[in-house]
Amino acid sequence: MSQTLREIAQQLKDASKKVQLIYAFNGSGKTRLSREFKELLESEITQGDGNDEDAPGLSSKHILYYNAFTEDLFYWDNDLNDDEYRKLKIHPNAFTKWVLEDQGQAPTIIDHFQRLTNSNIEPIFSADFSEITFVIRGDGQGSPIKISKGEESNLVWSVFYSLLDLIIEELSSPEDDRSTDDFDSLKYVFIDDPVSSLDENHLIELAVTLAKLVKSSSAGLKFIITTHNPLFYNVLSNEFNNKLSKGPNEETIEWIYKPGESEKSRLDKNADGSFSLTVLDRKTPFSYHLLL
């Protein structure tokens, strides 16, 4: 059935599933869909009682999203005059302030980044967390370098993942035990293609780690994940069809996540400019070559 992106966004919002995994070719409208979803939530808040409009900072946020606009929060100062002190600057925003300044997650972000890139590049955050420089470990007094676009994307994802991990841990705790109520209004997490620059090994690692984090959430959050990568889709599809695994030393608990809590779909852009969202069999991993 042909729909507009706003209608598909409404369909995703109305769904009861904890996880909605969507495959789409590049250029099919994944990033625009994430923006439509965000704007839909904002318009419904405005049409409601309006109480959230005056809420300060993070407490007014109903959605956390990762997409191309997230990467735009980070931009380069290439020191064109001296061609020496290159740095990645961070647009001031509530989320990065919380994860970097309030929670001190810079070391965790660096660990995520170095694991995904398998490199000896060392990110160095400034004291006020307004910029990041990059040096080669063991390079002595070498000048800061400019990292590749792929490495930059991995750094931004590492910031987002550390933030998401903390939020899920916070919201999964009883209200009386939470260190902050800033995220009590958060309802949705929209993740659009975090794997564009990863090799297959790191892509699989990211998919498994992300799926485990999503499945561990007991906060009532709903997750929408879109991707153009068939391997990333397949790994997530398989992971969301499985129960959350546990280590040998963990106590027996009743699992919060059940395989039926996810739904898989394919987003298509039609020749007339409309869109279609087709639900796929959750028991069958998406097969790229069969679709073609």
Side-chain angles (χ1 to χ4, degrees), residues 176-274:
D176 293 342
D177 294 338
R178 295 175 187 173
S179 63
T180 178
D181 59 1
D182 282 348
F183 302 103
D184 289 358
S185 297
L186 193 64
K187 299 177 181 178
Y188 297 93
V189 178
F190 200 121
I191 300 174
D192 175 34
D193 255 344
V195 297
S196 58
S197 58
L198 291 175
D199 59 60
E200 290 188 352
N201 287 335
H202 290 103
L203 181 151
I204 293 171
E205 178 186 0
L206 188 153
V208 171
T209 304
L210 175 61
K212 183 177 180 180
L213 179 62
V214 169
K215 291 192 292 184
S216 71
S217 171
S218 60
L221 290 174
K222 292 184 178 180
F223 298 84
I224 302 166
I225 304 173
T226 61
T227 183
H228 77 286
N229 188 293
L231 176 59
F232 187 63
Y233 180 95
N234 270 334
V235 175
L236 286 177
S237 179
N238 284 327
E239 289 297 310
F240 289 135
N241 281 342
N242 297 327
K243 291 184 178 181
L244 183 65
S245 60
K246 61 179 179 178
N249 298 322
E250 295 183 46
E251 296 180 1
T252 301
I253 62 173
E254 181 180 352
W255 296 116
I256 298 164
Y257 178 82
K258 300 178 180 64
E261 293 182 341
S262 67
E263 182 174 83
K264 287 81 177 179
S265 306
R266 187 183 69 245
L267 176 68
D268 294 301
K269 183 178 180 180
N270 303 318
D272 61 0
S274 63

Side-chain angles (χ1 to χ4, degrees), residues 94-152:
F95 284 116
T96 56
K97 180 182 183 300
W98 187 79
V99 71
L100 290 170
E101 295 184 32
D102 298 346
Q103 298 299 314
Q105 286 295 297
T108 303
I109 292 168
I110 293 171
D111 288 342
H112 284 317
F113 169 77
Q114 291 177 334
R115 186 171 64 253
L116 287 176
T117 58
N118 196 28
S119 71
N120 59 350
I121 297 174
E122 182 80 29
I124 301 174
F125 290 84
S126 63
D128 61 356
F129 298 104
S130 65
E131 61 188 45
I132 312 169
T133 53
F134 301 86
V135 297
I136 303 295
R137 283 183 297 185
D139 195 23
Q141 299 299 316
S143 299
I145 65 170
K146 181 172 182 177
I147 59 176
S148 70
K149 185 62 178 176
E151 290 164 335
E152 181 184 338

Side-chain angles (χ1 to χ4, degrees), residues 25 38 71 83 106 126 135 153 160 167 170-171 177 185 191 199 209 259-260 271 292:
F25 290 108
K38 175 179 179 291
E71 296 192 9
D83 194 27
S126 63
V135 297
S153 296
F160 178 89
I167 291 175
E170 195 74 41
L171 292 181
D177 294 338
S185 297
I191 300 174
D199 59 60
T209 304
L292 293 182

Side-chain angles (χ1 to χ4, degrees), residues 15-118:
S16 60
K17 299 293 185 180
K18 177 175 181 175
V19 182
Q20 296 179 83
L21 176 61
I22 302 171
Y23 178 87
F25 290 108
N26 275 333
S28 297
K30 300 187 304 300
T31 301
R32 283 179 289 161
L33 178 60
S34 68
R35 294 292 294 179
E36 286 285 351
F37 192 89
K38 175 179 179 291
E39 292 170 5
L40 174 64
L41 289 182
E42 291 176 345
S43 66
E44 291 186 353
I45 292 170
T46 302
Q47 294 168 7
D49 56 21
N51 290 337
D52 289 336
E53 289 186 274
D54 298 325
L58 295 173
S59 59
S60 65
K61 305 297 184 183
H62 287 248
I63 182 172
L64 174 67
Y65 65 92
Y66 175 90
N67 60 16
F69 291 93
T70 310
E71 296 192 9
D72 289 343
L73 293 174
F74 299 77
Y75 62 101
W76 282 97
D77 178 348
N78 290 315
D79 189 19
L80 296 179
N81 291 329
D82 298 324
D83 194 27
E84 182 177 358
Y85 190 67
R86 303 172 185 87
K87 50 189 176 290
L88 187 65
K89 299 183 73 68
I90 304 174
H91 277 294
N93 66 91
F95 284 116
T96 56
K97 180 182 183 300
W98 187 79
V99 71
L100 290 170
E101 295 184 32
D102 298 346
Q103 298 299 314
Q105 286 295 297
T108 303
I109 292 168
I110 293 171
D111 288 342
H112 284 317
F113 169 77
Q114 291 177 334
R115 186 171 64 253
L116 287 176
T117 58
N118 196 28

